[in-house]
Amino acid sequence: MDTMDALVVEESAPQRLHLDRVPAPRPATHEALVEVQAAGVNPTDLALRDAAPPGTVLGHELAGVVSREAADGSGPPVGTGVAGLVMGGAWAQQVAVPTAGLVVVPQGVDLRAAATMPIAAISALRALRVGGAVLGRRVMVTGATGAVGALAARLASLGGASGVTTVTRSEARSAHLRDLGATETVTDPRDAVAPADIVIDTVGGAVLSRAFEMTAADGTLVSVGRASGEDVVLPADALEGAGGRAGRTLRTFFMPDEPGDLRADLAFLLRLVDEGRLEAGVDHVEELGGALPLLRAGRWAGRLVLALRGE
Ligand SMILES: NC(=O)c1ccc[n+]([C@@H]2O[C@H](COP(=O)([O-])OP(=O)(O)OC[C@H]3O[C@@H](n4cnc5c(N)ncnc54)[C@H](OP(=O)(O)O)[C@@H]3O)[C@@H](O)[C@H]2O)c1
């Protein structure tokens, strides 16, 4: 295939995004060529849509089938079902993927589900690791029905947390959160039954500020995201250490730069999905062209996956 369909940043297109034919990628020696079957959509993709130069093909996570193995022999052979992470280019029929970010998808895992795992699930896993040991400790997760939040809540429960407080605007989904392992669901972090040793915050703004109030002594709040888009304003006594609040840490986070082996982390998470212990959560599947109105509007319900067909 010399050219392929892709969602491309274009200055004159509505919301800078359109479907086009573009040259197929030419992999470097450490990259496998993958025929994309499904690609995930993440909040950062929309931020990049607004900032990336014209001609950029968006998309950071995908699942598909290897159509040409890496020339240096480092990756899986042709025909293998894989999932992976790229710096961009996943919203296309083909993408060149560095084998350091490529794993074999277990037979029992649907490729569409696998495509949603690299960014959200690795972020949830690494954010929990930043917070320290989970076993026997209390964990709070904000934005709990979101992609990262739901996976963090589930992983905290699987990891043996003594309590998992989920914070959500969507009270109607508290039964679902309970299924994931939440021991309580609140709309305001200050309503939690007890302070948490580890807080995974994906919302920012007032939610972060309140969650920091509910961070236990020597506990850590990991600031993963800013879904609310609000500024964080801390009250004057927020950094007070007296009254049993000493030693709390407010920690920034950037998944690609956090320690860990990408391939090992993704393989571990896909194994949990294969074993039925972790849910990938695909809510909405659209082909490239069909997804354009949603991506332009920046709004859809739940987790969106782009489904592609090869040629
Ligand atoms: N630092 C990193 O490396 C890294 C990695 C991955 C993601 N992120 C960031 O983490 C955040 C969450 O990512 P995600 O993929 O989980 O996003 P998502 O699926 O869109 O989930 C975000 C959740 O935040 C909650 N929320 C609360 N107030 C909100 C508001 N005003 N507007 C929108 N959502 C609000 C919602 O959950 P409820 O309905 O339950 O309240 C929503 O489902 C994003 O900001 C993303 O960019 C950062």
Side-chain angles (χ1 to χ4, degrees):
M1 200 194 305
D2 294 334
T3 61
M4 60 177 186
D5 288 344
L7 289 183
V8 184
V9 173
E10 168 58 55
E11 211 66 74
S12 59
Q15 269 65 48
R16 304 187 82 231
L17 196 59
H18 82 149
L19 179 61
D20 204 354
R21 292 293 292 179
V22 300
R26 302 170 71 171
T29 52
H30 66 290
E31 293 175 330
L33 190 63
V34 176
E35 187 176 315
V36 180
Q37 305 221 339
V41 178
N42 290 277
T44 42
D45 294 315
L46 295 186
L48 280 173
R49 176 200 67 185
D50 299 335
T56 303
V57 179
L58 300 174
H60 289 95
E61 61 182 359
L62 65 121
V65 175
V66 175
S67 55
R68 195 188 313 156
E69 61 196 69
D72 66 3
S74 58
V78 169
T80 310
V82 290
L85 268 170
V86 284
M87 295 302 290
W91 293 359
Q93 287 178 300
Q94 294 199 2
V95 63
V97 187
T99 54
L102 196 65
V103 303
V104 176
V105 175
Q107 288 287 338
V109 178
D110 176 64
L111 289 180
R112 289 178 181 175
T116 68
M117 298 298 284
I119 292 179
I122 297 177
S123 297
L125 177 69
R126 291 186 170 182
L128 284 166
R129 282 193 190 131
V130 165
V134 167
L135 191 63
R137 298 173 80 211
R138 295 197 62 83
V139 175
M140 175 184 286
V141 179
T142 71
T145 67
V148 176
L151 288 158
R154 180 69 187 143
L155 289 171
S157 172
L158 286 177
S162 60
V164 179
T165 300
T166 49
V167 182
T168 178
R169 302 169 302 173
S170 322
E171 276 181 288
R173 300 200 64 198
S174 59
H176 174 66
L177 292 170
R178 202 165 45 243
D179 290 344
L180 295 180
T183 50
E184 68 169 340
T185 295
V186 295
T187 52
D188 185 327
R190 296 172 299 190
D191 293 335
V193 69
D197 303 296
I198 301 169
V199 178
I200 308 299
D201 176 58
T202 67
V203 176
V207 170
L208 180 150
S209 171
R210 291 169 190 166
F212 195 54
E213 271 184 55
M214 291 303 289
T215 303
D218 299 318
T220 301
L221 183 152
V222 187
S223 171
V224 175
R226 287 160 293 284
S228 69
E230 291 173 9
D231 288 340
V232 177
V233 181
L234 294 173
D237 67 349
L239 303 180
E240 179 62 65
R245 302 199 296 163
R248 289 171 302 145
T249 302
L250 179 49
R251 167 66 153 74
T252 57
F253 176 89
F254 184 55
M255 184 273 273
D257 290 350
E258 300 295 341
D261 177 331
L262 265 186
R263 255 197 318 215
D265 285 349
L266 185 52
F268 167 67
L269 291 157
L270 288 171
R271 198 169 69 237
L272 292 180
V273 176
D274 191 34
E275 292 167 356
R277 295 199 282 163
L278 194 64
E279 198 188 325
V282 175
D283 302 299
H284 209 55
V285 179
E286 288 284 350
E287 292 183 8
L288 282 188
L292 259 181
L294 294 174
L295 294 170
R296 284 175 173 153
R299 262 195 318 276
W300 54 88
R303 200 74 220 271
L304 172 62
V305 172
L306 308 181
L308 292 103
R309 284 204 216 98
E311 271 190 356

